[in-house]
Structure formats: structure tokens, C-alpha cells
Amino acid sequence: MSFRRLMIFLIVAVTMFAATAAFAGTARTYAVYPFEINGPSQYKYLSRGVQTMLTSRLNWTGHFEPMAGSADLKEADKPKDAVAEIKKVQALDVDYIALGSVVIVGKQASVDVRMINADGHSWSKSAETTISGLIPAIDSIANDIKGQLFEKPGSKKESEEEKQREDARPDSPVNPDFVTAAGSGKVIESTINPQFRYQGGTETPGRWRSQTMKFVNRGGFVEDVTGDGKKDLVVLTEKDIKVLSINGQHLKEVAAYKYSNRSSGLRINGIDLDRDGVYEVVLCTEIERKPYSYIISFKGKTPSVLLDRNKNFLAVVKTPPNFSETLVGQRFDPHRTFYSKDLTEYSFSNGALVPIRKMKVPEFTNVFNLTYLPVKDDDYKIIVLNKYGRINLYDKNLEPVYESTNSYNSASVAIDTVSKLRGFNEEKSSERMDHNYFIPMPVSVVSISDPHKKEVLLNKDLSIAGQLFSNYKNFSQGEIHAEFWDGVGLNLAWKTRRIKGTVTSYGVADIDNDGADELYCIMNTFPGSLGVKHRKTLVMAYELNMPAN
């Protein structure tokens, strides 16, 4: 290295060191004393706990840093009057000291924090909260203090855009089995030590599960399909459609429709074709990659085929502008399994499908991965689950606006997508590698807490093996996420705690016929990757509105 280059390097290094030292030297310092706890003796441990929380949350490296040894301060050392406070600031050689107290009455808590500087100037911050909301309250107080001292990014009052995004967030259902996203809706009250994470148990209030049934399901839905005025559980199995009544959290088979042994069931949907309050079942199957769809009535608990072996991939989608249930079909093309320009809306009349219009949808859309999300007035977004399970969001002009990083709604139901080139014969199955398209479970768009706020319910894929092997779709557990459109993308509002088993379908309905809607999950048990033949069907249901204690 030349002498000139060496000198330049040394000058730059010294300048950077000096700048760093100057930057570090400008940081203000503080010390937090243990908090005074006024309440039952079981909460005395919070004295040190709140001290530690506030110390860590006030820290902003290079700007506002805790005094070395701040954690060693004792409650007995706290100043008793204004003069002693000024002396303590000077003795500790800090810019501020923080004194605080927590008053606990029942489940309610009141937090007060006072900051004092060397001139004796002080100001207070306080918050009314619950025991379970203590940590968010400390976060808020720390942000307010840093905002007042420095106008720290993120501590200022929210902008109008941020306020609109937060206003769009729906409230969380009041159920201890739901985890509320940070900053949203209601906080679930709890008397449990906040250092522990509550996971729920077999007797958790607000959640119930049915007995297991000795068959494996491929998804389903909850509607009245028999016409008796009560909701039924309708599930698709590997050989038939089963209709089960729900009585006291007990499932009982009341009707069944067996489809062809050569067929593979892809999906079932419900639609009330004649608007009489009783739903018909739309079944889509395939034989050697060719679709065969049916519409079946179970009125009177007796299956009756209304549409037989229609040669379309057929499903039900709630389409704009009214977002009512609509039959959507997609024709079979041996040169390309799914082609977005083939989507057509149909009506059902005189035992046949009548085409209404071609649908304008994003590329790579099919009858199984399409969902519409109403936003405001006549505006809506289009949700498409891509082949990797990620959410692609489009506006009504088909412009992409958002893609998720996580994958959702994956299911083990697959169709072979190998196609032949024009003018060539298709490869023999024994001479080619299969290319599977995994049909996702339907996405539910619901209004739970507010009729004017739509929530997108999604089942988050939770599997290490699923991340490593693209064809592995049997998940040992899952989570139902409620997400909302915040003007930028989909944002989490709340979620369930971990669900043990493979979720195959879900939705919101009065599944137990008690007059109130529940969030239900249709599942297969997961006895391990080596015990797949022993899987069984069960239903898990969550109350959305818990009665007050």
C-alpha cells in the first residue's frame, strides 16, 4: 500500500472513530428503580419485573441508554422527597431517574411512572389496564417517554393513513383460545403469571371437539342440506359424501352418496340453488385427469342427483357485485390443465348448466384457488392462492398489489397436471414423472365482530417436512389466522392457538345449532407419518363470543 493511500485510510479511520465516540457521547442516560406494588402479595414479584421491562423498553442505543448496574438498584434506595430525587440523579451521574408504582385491584391494574432530571423537573405517564395487558401498557409508556424526549420514530402520534389502517382492523372474538395480534381489538383478561404463555387444555372454556369417526376426509362444509332446519356437517371422503348430524357435540351419519370407484374426489361445496334455505352439494371429481362434476340434493336425507357427470371442473365462488354464491366452471383442456380464460359463471336451470359470462380473472386462476374480498362500497380485491400456497392479491383491474411470505390452505388432494404438446401423444404414466397440482382448501371471507369489516380466514401451513418436500401436505398441526385488508396488504388481526391434527376445511356457522355462530375446523387426526392409514375424522369448534364471568 502506498504512503498516500495509508494516510487516507488512517484519516478516514480516525474520523469514523471520532464520529462514533461523539455519537456515543450524546446518548442520555437513565436509571429505573424497582416499582412499588400496591396489591395482593402474590404480585410482589412484579416490582423487579416491571423495573426490568421498563429499563429494556426505554433503551434506544446511541440516544437513551440505561446506567450500568441499573438492575442493582434497590427499593430501599429510592428517594423519599424532591430534594433527595435531585441528589440521586446527581449521585448516579445520569440524566434521568424513573420512579413508578403499580396498583392492582382484582384484574385491573394502574401503572404510574415519573421521570426526574437533575434540575428537579419531572413529568408523569400513567395507564389503566388489566394484569394481562401490563406488558403492552409498559410498552406504550416507554414509547411516550422516548417520543417526548426525542420524537423517536414510531413513537409519534399515528398519521391519518396509519389511523385508517388501524381502524380497518376488526375486533378479536372474546375467546381464550384466540391470540390477539399486537395492537388490535380486545385484550383477553387472565390472572395467570404474564411470564407464562397460556396454551389451553382439554377442558378449555369456549372450545369443544367431537368424537372421532373412522374415515379420512378431504374437506367439507356446514349447512342445512337435509331440510330439517338444523345445520349438518357435510364431508368428502375417498369414496363418498357423508352427511352427519350434530347433536350435543356428537356426530351421527344420516345420509351418504357414493361416487364411482374409479373417481378421485377433489372438492365439495354448498349452494342454495332454489333459495329455499336448503343447500345442495356440488361435487367435483376426476378420472384420469378428466373432470366429472355433480350437483346432489340431500333433502329428506335421501340423495338425489340433479346434475350428473358434467365435464367441467365445478365449484362455488361468491362473486361480485353481490358476492352471492355462484356456480363457476372450468373446461378440461388436455394441453393445459387449468387456464384462467376458461372460467365461466353458470346458472342451473332445468337440470342443466346455463353459461352466463366469461370471468375476468388474473392469470393462473382456477375454480379452486379463487376468492373475492369485498373492501368498501363497490370495491373489492381478488385473492388467488398460487401453486406454492402463497396469497396473491389483485385489485379489480387485475393489477397485483400484495403477495404473502407464508403459505396457507394447503391440502393433500392433488391432480396430475402433465399435459401433452399439440401433435404429440401423451407420455405413458410409467415413463414420466408425475407433476401434481395440490388443490387448496377454500378460503372463508366472513364478518365476525363487525358487519362492515371483512376478515379473511386462512389455515397457516405448519410443517417442517412440508417446507422441505413440495409433495408433502399432511400437516401435524395448524393455526387459523384472521387477516384483514389494511390498505397495503393482508394484516393479522387474531389467530387460534395451535391445532393438533390436519385441518382439511374450516368456516363460521352455527354448527351446534345453539343460535350462535362458531368457528369450526374439520380435521383428520395425525398419528404420525408412519400411521397415515389410522387417521380419523373429527371436528373442533370455538365459541366466538364468550359470556362474561
Side-chain angles (χ1 to χ4, degrees):
M1 179 183 293
S2 68
F3 178 76
R4 185 165 177 261
R5 289 183 179 178
L6 179 61
M7 289 301 296
I8 292 173
F9 173 77
L10 290 173
I11 291 171
V12 171
V14 170
T15 302
M16 291 179 65
F17 176 78
T20 303
F23 176 75
T26 61
R28 302 185 202 180
T29 56
Y30 62 89
V32 180
Y33 280 90
F35 272 53
E36 179 183 351
I37 306 298
N38 299 306
S41 59
Q42 69 194 73
Y43 294 113
K44 294 301 180 182
Y45 71 93
L46 288 175
S47 177
R48 282 290 188 182
V50 177
Q51 176 199 23
T52 302
M53 283 189 286
L54 184 61
T55 300
S56 65
R57 283 156 174 77
L58 283 175
N59 186 20
W60 185 19
T61 303
H63 298 271
F64 202 40
E65 299 177 349
M67 176 193 80
S70 179
D72 298 329
L73 294 176
K74 299 177 181 179
E75 188 171 357
D77 297 331
K78 291 172 64 173
K80 305 300 182 184
D81 52 48
V83 174
E85 290 170 355
I86 296 174
K87 290 181 177 179
K88 279 293 183 183
V89 177
Q90 296 170 347
L92 295 174
D93 193 24
V94 293
D95 294 293
Y96 299 91
I97 60 172
L99 306 174
S101 65
V102 179
V103 179
I104 300 173
V105 179
K107 295 181 180 180
Q108 302 301 310
S110 175
V111 185
D112 293 285
V113 177
R114 198 158 58 91
M115 301 293 293
I116 304 103
N117 66 9
D119 299 325
H121 175 69
S122 68
W123 76 96
S124 300
K125 297 291 180 182
S126 60
E128 299 290 332
T129 183
T130 61
I131 297 299
S132 60
L134 194 57
I135 294 177
I138 297 297
D139 282 337
S140 178
I141 289 174
N143 277 335
D144 286 347
I145 292 172
K146 287 184 286 190
Q148 190 164 344
L149 285 173
F150 305 99
E151 293 190 352
K152 182 180 184 296
S155 61
K156 295 182 181 179
K157 290 186 177 179
E158 60 187 355
S159 65
E160 186 60 31
E161 181 183 352
E162 291 169 335
K163 185 177 185 301
Q164 290 176 358
R165 291 175 62 180
E166 196 60 31
D167 287 344
R169 184 191 298 273
D171 287 336
S172 303
V174 183
N175 189 315
D177 251 299
F178 297 152
V179 179
T180 303
S184 73
K186 305 177 180 66
V187 177
I188 304 302
E189 294 185 355
S190 174
T191 57
I192 198 167
N193 186 331
Q195 299 299 319
F196 302 151
R197 185 183 178 197
Y198 176 66
Q199 290 291 349
T202 56
E203 302 299 327
T204 302
R207 183 185 70 184
W208 61 263
R209 53 161 288 178
S210 70
Q211 85 279 21
T212 56
M213 305 286 284
K214 293 184 178 180
F215 57 82
V216 178
N217 78 83
R218 295 187 164 198
F221 62 92
V222 173
E223 289 292 352
D224 178 12
V225 298
T226 59
D228 61 358
K230 296 181 178 180
K231 300 292 186 183
D232 304 296
L233 174 65
V234 187
V235 294
L236 175 65
T237 78
E238 296 173 341
K239 59 182 180 181
D240 64 3
I241 298 172
K242 293 184 185 294
V243 179
L244 302 109
S245 66
I246 305 146
N247 186 11
Q249 304 172 16
H250 183 80
L251 304 179
K252 180 183 178 182
E253 184 176 330
V254 295
Y257 172 78
K258 183 176 175 58
Y259 53 86
S260 169
N261 290 330
R262 298 173 56 216
S263 299
S264 174
L266 301 181
R267 179 184 283 184
I268 56 172
N269 294 106
I271 185 170
D272 184 3
L273 291 172
D274 49 9
R275 300 295 186 266
D276 63 349
V278 182
Y279 277 65
E280 285 73 36
V281 179
V282 178
L283 166 66
C284 183
T285 69
E286 61 99 9
I287 302 176
E288 297 178 354
R289 296 179 52 240
K290 295 181 180 179
Y292 294 93
S293 294
Y294 307 78
I295 298 178
I296 305 155
S297 169
F298 284 91
K299 287 182 181 178
K301 302 179 182 178
T302 302
S304 174
V305 178
L306 307 180
L307 178 71
D308 191 19
R309 293 174 64 86
N310 180 269
K311 296 182 180 180
N312 276 285
F313 294 102
L314 196 62
V316 177
V317 179
K318 292 184 178 181
T319 58
N322 299 322
F323 301 99
S324 55
E325 293 154 346
T326 305
L327 289 170
V328 178
Q330 192 165 21
R331 67 186 179 89
F332 171 72
D333 187 333
H335 306 289
R336 52 196 177 204
T337 302
F338 290 119
Y339 188 48
S340 55
K341 293 182 180 179
D342 291 334
L343 264 71
T344 305
E345 283 188 22
Y346 288 96
S347 65
F348 183 71
S349 178
N350 297 322
L353 293 181
V354 179
I356 299 175
R357 65 182 178 91
K358 288 282 187 181
M359 298 180 68
K360 185 181 177 183
V361 292
E363 193 176 12
F364 306 117
T365 303
N366 60 63
V367 294
F368 302 120
N369 69 2
L370 171 66
T371 306
Y372 289 93
L373 170 62
V375 177
K376 188 177 181 181
D377 299 327
D378 61 345
D379 190 22
Y380 61 86
K381 305 299 176 190
I382 304 172
I383 299 173
V384 177
L385 280 166
N386 66 24
K387 64 180 180 179
Y388 305 108
R390 293 194 288 270
I391 297 170
N392 290 120
L393 210 63
Y394 301 83
D395 63 21
K396 60 194 307 183
N397 298 316
L398 309 188
E399 293 291 332
V401 294
Y402 167 79
E403 180 174 353
S404 69
T405 55
N406 295 317
S407 62
Y408 300 90
N409 283 40
S410 296
S412 59
V413 180
I415 183 172
D416 181 5
T417 60
V418 172
S419 58
K420 63 180 181 180
L421 298 175
R422 297 183 185 276
F424 290 85
N425 292 325
E426 188 173 303
E427 293 178 288
K428 295 180 181 179
S429 59
S430 60
E431 298 175 352
R432 60 172 167 76
M433 293 180 63
D434 289 341
H435 299 272
N436 292 328
Y437 171 72
F438 286 89
I439 294 173
M441 64 185 82
V443 174
S444 291
V445 176
V446 296
S447 296
I448 293 179
S449 302
D450 188 331
H452 303 294
K453 295 179 181 178
K454 294 294 184 181
E455 295 158 69
V456 182
L457 297 187
L458 299 161
N459 180 59
K460 185 179 180 182
D461 301 338
L462 295 173
S463 170
I464 299 299
Q467 296 171 6
L468 299 176
F469 307 105
S470 60
N471 286 350
Y472 186 87
K473 302 296 179 182
N474 287 311
F475 302 105
S476 60
Q477 54 187 351
E479 290 176 350
I480 302 298
H481 285 206
E483 305 202 356
F484 67 99
W485 168 252
D486 65 1
V488 178
L490 290 182
N491 199 354
L492 179 66
W494 54 269
K495 65 179 181 178
T496 64
R497 300 184 189 275
R498 292 287 173 91
I499 301 170
K500 305 299 183 182
T502 304
V503 177
T504 59
S505 219
Y506 59 88
V508 172
D510 182 11
I511 186 171
D512 55 3
N513 297 291
D514 65 350
D517 284 345
E518 291 82 27
L519 167 64
Y520 67 86
C521 298
I522 305 172
M523 305 162 54
N524 287 318
T525 58
F526 188 82
S529 56
L530 300 179
V532 291
K533 67 179 181 179
H534 299 293
R535 291 174 296 165
K536 298 176 182 178
T537 290
L538 74 150
V539 175
M540 191 86 74
Y542 301 83
E543 302 290 341
L544 295 177
N545 293 293
M546 298 287 291
N549 292 332

PDB file of all heavy atoms in Angstrom, residues 81-93:
ATOM      1  N   ASP A  81     -38.112  12.271  48.832  1.00  0.00           N
ATOM      2  CA  ASP A  81     -38.714  13.583  48.582  1.00  0.00           C
ATOM      3  C   ASP A  81     -38.036  14.222  47.378  1.00  0.00           C
ATOM      4  O   ASP A  81     -37.112  13.654  46.789  1.00  0.00           O
ATOM      5  CB  ASP A  81     -38.595  14.484  49.810  1.00  0.00           C
ATOM      6  CG  ASP A  81     -37.158  14.571  50.336  1.00  0.00           C
ATOM      7  OD1 ASP A  81     -36.235  14.799  49.523  1.00  0.00           O
ATOM      8  OD2 ASP A  81     -36.963  14.391  51.558  1.00  0.00           O
ATOM      9  N   ALA A  82     -38.480  15.443  47.033  1.00  0.00           N
ATOM     10  CA  ALA A  82     -38.000  16.111  45.825  1.00  0.00           C
ATOM     11  C   ALA A  82     -36.511  16.418  45.900  1.00  0.00           C
ATOM     12  O   ALA A  82     -35.780  16.291  44.907  1.00  0.00           O
ATOM     13  CB  ALA A  82     -38.793  17.402  45.594  1.00  0.00           C
ATOM     14  N   VAL A  83     -36.043  16.847  47.072  1.00  0.00           N
ATOM     15  CA  VAL A  83     -34.616  17.163  47.222  1.00  0.00           C
ATOM     16  C   VAL A  83     -33.771  15.906  47.052  1.00  0.00           C
ATOM     17  O   VAL A  83     -32.733  15.905  46.368  1.00  0.00           O
ATOM     18  CB  VAL A  83     -34.347  17.813  48.600  1.00  0.00           C
ATOM     19  CG1 VAL A  83     -32.851  18.012  48.805  1.00  0.00           C
ATOM     20  CG2 VAL A  83     -35.097  19.129  48.734  1.00  0.00           C
ATOM     21  N   ALA A  84     -34.222  14.798  47.660  1.00  0.00           N
ATOM     22  CA  ALA A  84     -33.492  13.533  47.556  1.00  0.00           C
ATOM     23  C   ALA A  84     -33.474  13.031  46.114  1.00  0.00           C
ATOM     24  O   ALA A  84     -32.493  12.401  45.683  1.00  0.00           O
ATOM     25  CB  ALA A  84     -34.126  12.492  48.476  1.00  0.00           C
ATOM     26  N   GLU A  85     -34.534  13.312  45.366  1.00  0.00           N
ATOM     27  CA  GLU A  85     -34.581  12.898  43.958  1.00  0.00           C
ATOM     28  C   GLU A  85     -33.485  13.584  43.152  1.00  0.00           C
ATOM     29  O   GLU A  85     -32.783  12.947  42.348  1.00  0.00           O
ATOM     30  CB  GLU A  85     -35.969  13.210  43.378  1.00  0.00           C
ATOM     31  CG  GLU A  85     -37.071  12.320  43.926  1.00  0.00           C
ATOM     32  CD  GLU A  85     -38.454  12.778  43.531  1.00  0.00           C
ATOM     33  OE1 GLU A  85     -38.585  13.857  42.896  1.00  0.00           O
ATOM     34  OE2 GLU A  85     -39.423  12.071  43.870  1.00  0.00           O
ATOM     35  N   ILE A  86     -33.321  14.900  43.361  1.00  0.00           N
ATOM     36  CA  ILE A  86     -32.280  15.642  42.624  1.00  0.00           C
ATOM     37  C   ILE A  86     -30.895  15.114  43.004  1.00  0.00           C
ATOM     38  O   ILE A  86     -30.030  14.918  42.141  1.00  0.00           O
ATOM     39  CB  ILE A  86     -32.379  17.147  42.941  1.00  0.00           C
ATOM     40  CG1 ILE A  86     -33.718  17.690  42.440  1.00  0.00           C
ATOM     41  CG2 ILE A  86     -31.230  17.914  42.301  1.00  0.00           C
ATOM     42  CD1 ILE A  86     -33.977  19.135  42.831  1.00  0.00           C
ATOM     43  N   LYS A  87     -30.676  14.859  44.294  1.00  0.00           N
ATOM     44  CA  LYS A  87     -29.385  14.338  44.743  1.00  0.00           C
ATOM     45  C   LYS A  87     -29.100  12.962  44.136  1.00  0.00           C
ATOM     46  O   LYS A  87     -27.943  12.648  43.816  1.00  0.00           O
ATOM     47  CB  LYS A  87     -29.360  14.261  46.267  1.00  0.00           C
ATOM     48  CG  LYS A  87     -29.322  15.630  46.947  1.00  0.00           C
ATOM     49  CD  LYS A  87     -29.267  15.489  48.462  1.00  0.00           C
ATOM     50  CE  LYS A  87     -29.161  16.859  49.135  1.00  0.00           C
ATOM     51  NZ  LYS A  87     -29.131  16.745  50.624  1.00  0.00           N
ATOM     52  N   LYS A  88     -30.151  12.123  44.009  1.00  0.00           N
ATOM     53  CA  LYS A  88     -29.953  10.791  43.427  1.00  0.00           C
ATOM     54  C   LYS A  88     -29.545  10.897  41.962  1.00  0.00           C
ATOM     55  O   LYS A  88     -28.673  10.151  41.491  1.00  0.00           O
ATOM     56  CB  LYS A  88     -31.245   9.967  43.545  1.00  0.00           C
ATOM     57  CG  LYS A  88     -31.447   9.333  44.905  1.00  0.00           C
ATOM     58  CD  LYS A  88     -30.402   8.260  45.179  1.00  0.00           C
ATOM     59  CE  LYS A  88     -30.652   7.583  46.522  1.00  0.00           C
ATOM     60  NZ  LYS A  88     -29.602   6.594  46.839  1.00  0.00           N
ATOM     61  N   VAL A  89     -30.162  11.809  41.213  1.00  0.00           N
ATOM     62  CA  VAL A  89     -29.788  11.996  39.807  1.00  0.00           C
ATOM     63  C   VAL A  89     -28.323  12.393  39.713  1.00  0.00           C
ATOM     64  O   VAL A  89     -27.563  11.881  38.873  1.00  0.00           O
ATOM     65  CB  VAL A  89     -30.687  13.059  39.133  1.00  0.00           C
ATOM     66  CG1 VAL A  89     -30.229  13.300  37.690  1.00  0.00           C
ATOM     67  CG2 VAL A  89     -32.138  12.631  39.154  1.00  0.00           C
ATOM     68  N   GLN A  90     -27.898  13.304  40.566  1.00  0.00           N
ATOM     69  CA  GLN A  90     -26.505  13.765  40.545  1.00  0.00           C
ATOM     70  C   GLN A  90     -25.553  12.671  41.022  1.00  0.00           C
ATOM     71  O   GLN A  90     -24.471  12.487  40.444  1.00  0.00           O
ATOM     72  CB  GLN A  90     -26.377  15.013  41.418  1.00  0.00           C
ATOM     73  CG  GLN A  90     -27.174  16.203  40.904  1.00  0.00           C
ATOM     74  CD  GLN A  90     -27.232  17.354  41.883  1.00  0.00           C
ATOM     75  OE1 GLN A  90     -26.888  17.198  43.057  1.00  0.00           O
ATOM     76  NE2 GLN A  90     -27.664  18.525  41.409  1.00  0.00           N
ATOM     77  N   ALA A  91     -25.940  11.933  42.072  1.00  0.00           N
ATOM     78  CA  ALA A  91     -25.065  10.886  42.623  1.00  0.00           C
ATOM     79  C   ALA A  91     -24.866   9.744  41.640  1.00  0.00           C
ATOM     80  O   ALA A  91     -23.770   9.172  41.549  1.00  0.00           O
ATOM     81  CB  ALA A  91     -25.648  10.362  43.938  1.00  0.00           C
ATOM     82  N   LEU A  92     -25.896   9.405  40.922  1.00  0.00           N
ATOM     83  CA  LEU A  92     -25.798   8.309  39.950  1.00  0.00           C
ATOM     84  C   LEU A  92     -25.168   8.769  38.639  1.00  0.00           C
ATOM     85  O   LEU A  92     -24.848   7.932  37.786  1.00  0.00           O
ATOM     86  CB  LEU A  92     -27.189   7.721  39.674  1.00  0.00           C
ATOM     87  CG  LEU A  92     -27.886   7.027  40.853  1.00  0.00           C
ATOM     88  CD1 LEU A  92     -29.312   6.626  40.471  1.00  0.00           C
ATOM     89  CD2 LEU A  92     -27.106   5.796  41.308  1.00  0.00           C
ATOM     90  N   ASP A  93     -25.021  10.103  38.448  1.00  0.00           N
ATOM     91  CA  ASP A  93     -24.440  10.671  37.227  1.00  0.00           C
ATOM     92  C   ASP A  93     -25.241  10.239  35.992  1.00  0.00           C
ATOM     93  O   ASP A  93     -24.676   9.768  35.000  1.00  0.00           O
ATOM     94  CB  ASP A  93     -22.967  10.259  37.091  1.00  0.00           C
ATOM     95  CG  ASP A  93     -22.259  11.098  36.021  1.00  0.00           C
ATOM     96  OD1 ASP A  93     -22.727  12.216  35.743  1.00  0.00           O
ATOM     97  OD2 ASP A  93     -21.261  10.605  35.452  1.00  0.00           O
TER      98      ASP A  93
END
